[in-house]
């Protein structure tokens, strides 16, 4: 009768030692991946809650959250603000590569002068691209006179935050990023370190660019939670599979030993 030690001696063979190493490496890797996904879930859920809260908050005057030369805080993104002033169409810009509803197009930026030497960039909305890459899009003119703008406050765009790579050689009056620090170079007024994404305007213009849709808050990291649970389930599967392989190997070895004992006994009986 083989001893327990003898039955499991195969676990120390090179093939099985390699399997043990794989399992011991896989388990902490799955733990790390699960923890990372749970961290992303918490981060995205917090971001989703913040954005939802900001969107639903009552409008406040722009100067309560940001002033010319002051950067808009990330915690204030998508807060609804109001600001009054007059548009300066002589320094209007188009933002390239801004698709909307599956169509290529541009955002229309126009500085809104809010006082002597101060202004804020307003994203008045979206216009579709021209017939060709060289054709200028049709842009409804900015209203004249005093206007009151209501919109979502947005921080300045950067390459890191937007994923858009800045480059030179663009047509005159066009930019790739909504970056007031760069846009404001050479302007006769100081800009707020962010911009307002227009949602409403008084008085209402006869024609205007299409509004930019509200941000998609999404599921708040629900997929990350599911992925985290999935990685940790893989830990159980890896351990269960490892144990199953060992039990199967033990069963096969015992069956072989029993079969060998029977054959030996039959041979001994026949010899006698």
């Amino acid at each position: 009768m083989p001893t327990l030690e003898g039955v499991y001696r195969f676990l120390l063979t090179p093939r099985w030692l390699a399997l043990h190493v794989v399992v011991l490496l896989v388990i902490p890797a799955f733990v790390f991946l699960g923890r990372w996904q749970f961290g992303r879930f918490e981060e995205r859920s917090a971001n989703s809650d913040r954005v939802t809260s900001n969107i639903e908050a009552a409008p406040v005057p722009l100067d309560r959250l940001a002033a010319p030369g002051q950067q808009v805080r990330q915690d204030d993104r998508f807060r609804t603000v109001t600001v009054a002033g007059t548009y300066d169409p002589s320094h209007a810009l188009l933002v390239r590569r801004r698709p909307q509803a599956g169509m290529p197009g541009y955002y229309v930026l126009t500085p809104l002068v809010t006082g002597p030497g101060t202004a804020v960039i307003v994203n008045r909305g979206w216009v579709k691209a021209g017939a060709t890459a060289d054709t200028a899009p049709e842009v409804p003119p900015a209203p004249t006179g005093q206007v009151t703008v209501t919109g979502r406050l947005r921080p300045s765009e950067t390459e890191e935050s937007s994923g858009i790579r800045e480059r030179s050689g663009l047509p005159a009056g066009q930019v790739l990023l909504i970056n007031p620090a760069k846009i404001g170079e050479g302007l006769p007024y100081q800009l707020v370190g962010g911009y307002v994404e227009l949602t409403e305007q008084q008085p209402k213009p006869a024609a205007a660019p299409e509004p930019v849709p509200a941000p998609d808050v999404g599921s708040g990291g629900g997929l990350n939670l599911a992925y985290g649970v999935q990685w940790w389930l893989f830990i159980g599967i890896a351990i269960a599979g490892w144990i199953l392989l060992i039990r199967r190997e033990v069963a096969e070895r015992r069956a072989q030993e029993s079969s060998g004992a029977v054959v030996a006994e039959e041979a001994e009986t026949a010899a006698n």
Side-chain angles (χ1 to χ4, degrees):
M1 183 72 178
T3 65
L4 187 63
E5 180 183 354
V7 170
Y8 287 94
R9 189 173 299 167
F10 69 90
L11 294 175
L12 299 179
T13 60
R15 181 170 68 91
W16 278 93
L17 287 174
L19 177 61
H20 305 332
V21 171
V22 170
V23 173
L24 291 175
L25 290 176
V26 160
I27 290 174
F30 287 173
V31 170
F32 170 79
L33 289 169
R35 288 173 62 89
W36 181 77
Q37 288 289 356
F38 290 139
R40 292 290 292 162
F41 162 70
E42 293 177 355
E43 178 184 331
R44 290 187 174 183
S45 295
N47 177 72
S48 176
D49 292 343
R50 168 65 66 179
V51 171
T52 300
S53 175
N54 285 350
I55 291 174
E56 295 175 351
V60 297
L62 172 64
D63 57 12
R64 282 182 50 183
L65 300 179
Q70 177 184 346
Q71 293 295 322
V72 172
R73 300 188 314 150
Q74 287 294 324
D75 284 350
D76 291 329
R77 66 193 185 282
F78 298 112
R79 280 292 302 271
T80 303
V81 296
T82 58
V83 58
T86 55
Y87 283 116
D88 176 12
S90 65
H91 292 104
L93 296 168
L94 294 175
V95 187
R96 297 170 62 90
R97 300 180 183 174
R98 300 301 169 120
Q100 188 162 301
M103 299 178 61
Y106 302 81
Y107 285 158
V108 180
L109 306 183
T110 310
L112 183 73
V113 180
T114 56
T118 61
V120 61
I121 294 292
V122 175
N123 179 359
R124 295 198 295 121
W126 179 88
V127 294
K128 66 179 180 180
T132 68
D134 298 325
T135 304
E138 296 184 7
V139 180
T144 58
Q146 185 84 358
V147 297
T148 298
V149 169
T150 301
R152 295 179 286 264
L153 184 60
R154 303 289 304 273
S156 300
E157 291 183 344
T158 63
E159 290 185 348
E160 292 74 19
S161 66
S162 67
I164 299 172
R165 302 289 295 178
E166 185 67 278
R167 67 180 179 86
S168 57
L170 299 178
Q174 296 187 14
V175 295
L176 285 169
L177 295 172
I178 309 177
N179 187 338
K182 186 172 183 179
I183 292 172
E185 295 175 357
L187 293 183
Y189 32 70
Q190 190 176 31
L191 296 174
V192 171
Y195 64 99
V196 176
E197 200 170 73
L198 188 149
T199 57
E200 187 179 348
Q201 185 173 272
Q202 295 295 335
K204 292 184 179 180
E210 293 186 26
V212 177
D216 182 9
V217 177
S219 59
L223 282 177
N224 296 102
L225 177 62
Y227 290 149
V229 172
Q230 185 180 63
W231 282 118
W232 283 18
L233 286 176
F234 287 161
I235 297 172
I237 293 173
I239 294 174
W242 179 53
I243 294 173
L244 179 62
L245 288 174
I246 292 174
R247 289 171 63 89
R248 181 180 296 173
E249 182 77 10
V250 169
E252 289 178 355
R253 287 175 176 270
R254 283 177 171 168
Q256 290 174 359
E257 290 174 355
S258 298
S259 176
V262 170
V263 171
E265 184 178 349
E266 290 178 348
E268 182 178 353
T269 301
N272 293 333

